[in-house]
Amino acid sequence: MPNFYNVEFDNALLLGTAQYPSPAILTDAIRHSQVQIVTASLRREAGGSGAGQNFWDMIKGLGIRVLPNTASCYSVKEAVTTAHMAREVFDTRWIKLEVIGNSDTLQPDIFGLVEAARILCEDGFEVFPYTTEDLVLADKLLQVGCEVLMPWGSPIGSGRGLNNPYGIRTLRAHFPDVPLIIDAGIGLPSQAAQAMELGCDAVLLNTAVAKSGDPVTMAKAFADAISAGRAAFLSTPIEMSDMAQPSTPVIGKAFLA
């Protein structure tokens, strides 16, 4: 079971709340997948006449946690300001920290990310940094106070899955006790299962569910795949081999004419 900042959860799937066909479909997707954490962009939910309040009321009614994020922030100042606003609106110290460095790939600005994380951690936030699989960057984020890492699988919304499984496996090996949440780029339940088989603690996704033909069924499929992937990791999979390994050994067996 994933544990983030000393809060334990039964479900390792986190869902974004953007791009769904309707609030009703979003609600059904959350319920059918039994998701316990959703993310929300303060900027999106604050826009429109009362839209933000309606969203917040819906989340409260479901009894689940909201992880506000600093989506679309391109500077430290912008991200920190948005985080402070989110803490007031959603009444939580949790913040998914995004400091974007490239508008095409939406890759994190690694320098700005560390600085913003330092400022927010010192101010009492519990930071979930959207980062890359770089070990040095991960270590610096932990040094400034982050207790969770959210490495990307591939560019946001791309559906490409894990571009660098080796990097994720290495990150897991170097930081065995740090919760890892794969964030961004997951497009299929099989890709989410792969992330969990590598030892990740959870998967955060949005587009793969919200933009699918049936978001409710897809959310449930992801929840099932993530559960299966985690069980596989805990069961210690067999090592890969270059040679065939017969399931029925020949040595010690009688040969019948």
Side-chain angles (χ1 to χ4, degrees), residues 34-47:
Q34 298 184 327
V35 164
Q36 296 172 304
I37 304 172
V38 296
T39 62
S41 168
L42 175 67
R43 295 180 173 193
R44 181 175 66 83
E45 300 308 338

Side-chain angles (χ1 to χ4, degrees), residues 85 102 127 257:
M85 293 172 62
N102 184 283
V127 178

Side-chain angles (χ1 to χ4, degrees), residues 132-245:
T132 68
E133 67 276 23
D134 184 88
L135 291 177
V136 177
L137 173 57
D139 189 53
K140 290 186 180 299
L141 289 168
L142 297 174
Q143 287 179 21
V144 299
C146 296
E147 297 181 16
V148 174
L149 295 171
M150 301 185 76
W152 67 344
S154 52
I156 293 172
S158 67
R160 296 180 59 86
L162 302 181
N163 275 350
N164 185 7
Y166 170 78
I168 299 300
R169 184 182 294 110
T170 303
L171 198 64
R172 175 75 291 164
H174 276 72
F175 305 104
D177 300 321
V178 176
L180 297 181
I181 306 172
I182 288 296
D183 177 22
I186 298 297
L188 292 169
S190 58
Q191 297 167 352
Q194 181 189 18
M196 300 301 291
E197 289 168 359
L198 292 175
C200 293
D201 297 274
V203 173
L204 168 59
L205 51 89
N206 189 158
T207 307
V209 170
K211 300 295 285 183
S212 69
D214 185 347
V216 177
T217 301
M218 185 63 82
K220 180 63 166 57
F222 269 106
D224 290 343
I226 287 170
S227 179
R230 182 60 177 172
F233 172 74
L234 295 175
S235 300
T236 313
I238 63 171
E239 296 290 336
M240 288 190 291
S241 172
D242 292 332
M243 300 293 292
Q245 303 288 335

Side-chain angles (χ1 to χ4, degrees), residues 36 58-65:
Q36 296 172 304
M58 180 190 73
I59 296 300
K60 285 182 177 179
L62 292 170
I64 60 178
R65 280 229 178 195

Side-chain angles (χ1 to χ4, degrees), residues 104-142:
D104 291 327
T105 64
L106 300 182
Q107 181 173 336
D109 172 357
I110 61 175
F111 306 104
L113 178 64
V114 172
E115 177 61 13
R118 180 190 64 79
I119 293 170
L120 293 174
C121 287
E122 290 178 354
D123 197 31
F125 281 87
E126 295 176 334
V127 178
F128 293 66
Y130 164 59
T131 181
T132 68
E133 67 276 23
D134 184 88
L135 291 177
V136 177
L137 173 57
D139 189 53
K140 290 186 180 299
L141 289 168
L142 297 174

